[in-house]
Amino acid sequence: MSSLDGITLTPGSTVLLLWAGDQMSANMQDVATSISEQVRSGSGGRIQLEHIDRLVMSSHPSSSFDLVISGLVNPFQTQHTTEILGELCRVLKPKGRLYAQELALPSGQNGRKSKDQLMSLLKLSGFVDIADAREVPLNDDEKQELKQSSDTASDVVLYRLGAQKPAYEVGSSSQLKLPFKPKPKPKVDDNVAKVWSLNSSDLMDADVDLVNEDDLLDEDDLKKPDPASLKVDCGGGAKKKKACKNCTCGLAEELDSGKKADTTKTSACGNCYLGDAFRCASCPYLGMPAFKSGEKIALSNRQLKADA
């Protein structure tokens, strides 16, 4: 249970040894001495003992230890929480190793975790390169001690787990250099670009000839349309014309009387006399000036003549 088999101790490394319970076990001194002899053979090597419940309160500086060993002493009283594992990841140096032992149950019950839950906690705490948990064999005295524990089930197993802190400090950041190839600019024909280019000197040049809008109109555009052609065809192009429900063009009266409707224009909404702002798109008064309701529209000679 307290064997250092499988734990690599490098001369000159700093080791944090955690223990649990109300008092140190009888083999505590033997474990600490064995670790100290191996790490102090190199320059700067040291070992520090710490109770697991006082780890967070100790506030060790970040990246203080090369190796952390937990649960090797008094493993039956050792339990690793997310807070403890997160603190261990903080105090470890980048690429530092953690070796932890803890009792676990197959299904995780009675306050004990399962093997998979132990490995999951290590991942959530920031550790990588997590080795598969292996069962630690117990001698007869340790089995008897475990059996006498009232809160321990009969199928409980002691596991040892190994993990490593990432090669970077927790909370550090680094700029990612991603390969980026800019899209090639499309080729533009120089002749086309010149057509659409216009600078301020062109606008101020008195020699620039501007197009006369009147030259864009031909003789047909200047002809006034025949009033008969503007009349709405309510029949929709059918052989026999039919007036629509709300006919305002006079076709309804023409069909009722059998002759052409009176040329007097009538309003469908009653607001046509107010002006174009109140007239619909098919209003017969569209384009005419506002007038008093009921009076006949009379245009002056100036309004009848086109602008010179």
Side-chain angles (χ1 to χ4, degrees):
M1 176 170 58
S2 58
S3 174
L4 294 173
D5 295 341
I7 299 178
T8 303
L9 296 171
T10 305
S13 60
T14 55
V15 180
L16 175 63
L17 179 61
L18 298 177
W19 62 282
D22 298 333
Q23 58 184 2
M24 294 184 182
S25 62
N27 66 338
M28 178 71 170
Q29 188 62 37
D30 297 337
V31 175
T33 301
S34 177
I35 296 174
S36 179
E37 290 176 352
Q38 298 185 55
V39 299
R40 287 186 177 179
S41 60
S43 176
R46 65 182 179 88
I47 179 174
Q48 180 166 337
L49 275 68
E50 188 83 56
H51 195 283
I52 193 170
D53 293 338
R54 298 185 60 84
L55 174 64
V56 178
M57 293 185 293
S58 299
S59 300
H60 293 288
S62 300
S63 303
S64 300
F65 300 97
D66 298 297
L67 180 66
V68 174
I69 302 175
S70 177
L72 202 66
V73 180
N74 293 352
F76 298 161
Q77 288 81 36
T78 302
Q79 289 199 28
H80 300 91
T81 62
T82 305
E83 182 182 20
I84 291 174
L85 291 175
E87 181 68 8
L88 292 179
C89 189
R90 185 186 69 83
V91 300
L92 271 172
K93 296 179 181 180
K95 292 187 177 181
R97 296 288 303 178
L98 166 68
Y99 294 96
Q101 291 188 169
E102 185 174 339
L103 292 173
L105 289 169
S107 58
Q109 56 188 356
N110 297 333
R112 297 287 180 183
K113 309 177 190 69
S114 66
K115 171 185 172 182
D116 293 337
Q117 288 174 337
L118 286 174
M119 299 182 67
S120 178
L121 278 179
L122 288 173
K123 293 179 182 178
L124 294 175
S125 301
F127 287 96
V128 297
D129 193 19
I130 302 172
D132 190 21
R134 67 180 182 87
E135 184 178 346
V136 178
L138 305 178
N139 56 38
D140 293 339
D141 293 338
E142 293 165 350
K143 290 179 181 179
Q144 185 64 27
E145 179 186 351
L146 189 59
K147 187 181 295 184
Q148 292 175 357
S149 301
S150 58
D151 61 339
T152 305
S154 58
D155 56 347
V156 69
V157 178
L158 180 63
Y159 287 103
R160 177 179 292 182
L161 302 96
Q164 179 178 293
K165 180 177 179 175
Y168 51 85
E169 187 54 76
V170 176
S172 61
S173 61
S174 178
Q175 183 178 2
L176 296 178
K177 295 182 179 180
L178 301 177
F180 175 74
K181 294 182 179 179
K183 294 182 179 180
K185 295 183 179 180
K187 295 182 179 180
V188 180
D189 190 349
D190 294 337
N191 296 327
V192 175
K194 290 179 180 178
V195 173
W196 295 101
S197 63
L198 185 67
N199 51 42
S200 58
S201 62
D202 294 333
L203 297 176
M204 302 300 294
D205 193 349
D207 297 334
V208 176
D209 294 331
L210 299 180
V211 177
N212 187 357
E213 295 89 344
D214 295 336
D215 294 340
L216 301 177
L217 302 176
D218 53 22
E219 295 182 358
D220 293 335
D221 296 327
L222 299 176
K223 293 180 180 180
K224 293 184 179 180
D226 185 4
S229 64
L230 301 178
K231 190 173 183 181
V232 179
D233 185 3
C234 297
K239 292 182 178 180
K240 185 177 181 181
K241 295 183 179 181
K242 294 182 180 180
C244 55
K245 184 176 181 181
N246 298 321
C247 178
T248 58
C249 67
L251 180 60
E253 292 83 349
E254 182 180 344
L255 296 176
D256 291 342
S257 61
K259 60 182 179 179
K260 290 185 178 180
D262 186 23
T263 56
T264 303
K265 300 177 182 179
T266 59
S267 173
C269 61
N271 294 325
C272 298
Y273 68 93
L274 296 176
D276 282 350
F278 298 89
R279 296 167 183 166
C280 57
S282 60
C283 180
Y285 297 100
L286 196 64
M288 298 182 181
F291 56 90
K292 293 182 180 180
S293 179
E295 75 174 353
K296 185 176 180 181
I297 301 175
L299 300 177
S300 63
N301 292 332
R302 185 182 63 81
Q303 291 174 320
L304 294 175
K305 292 180 180 180
D307 293 338

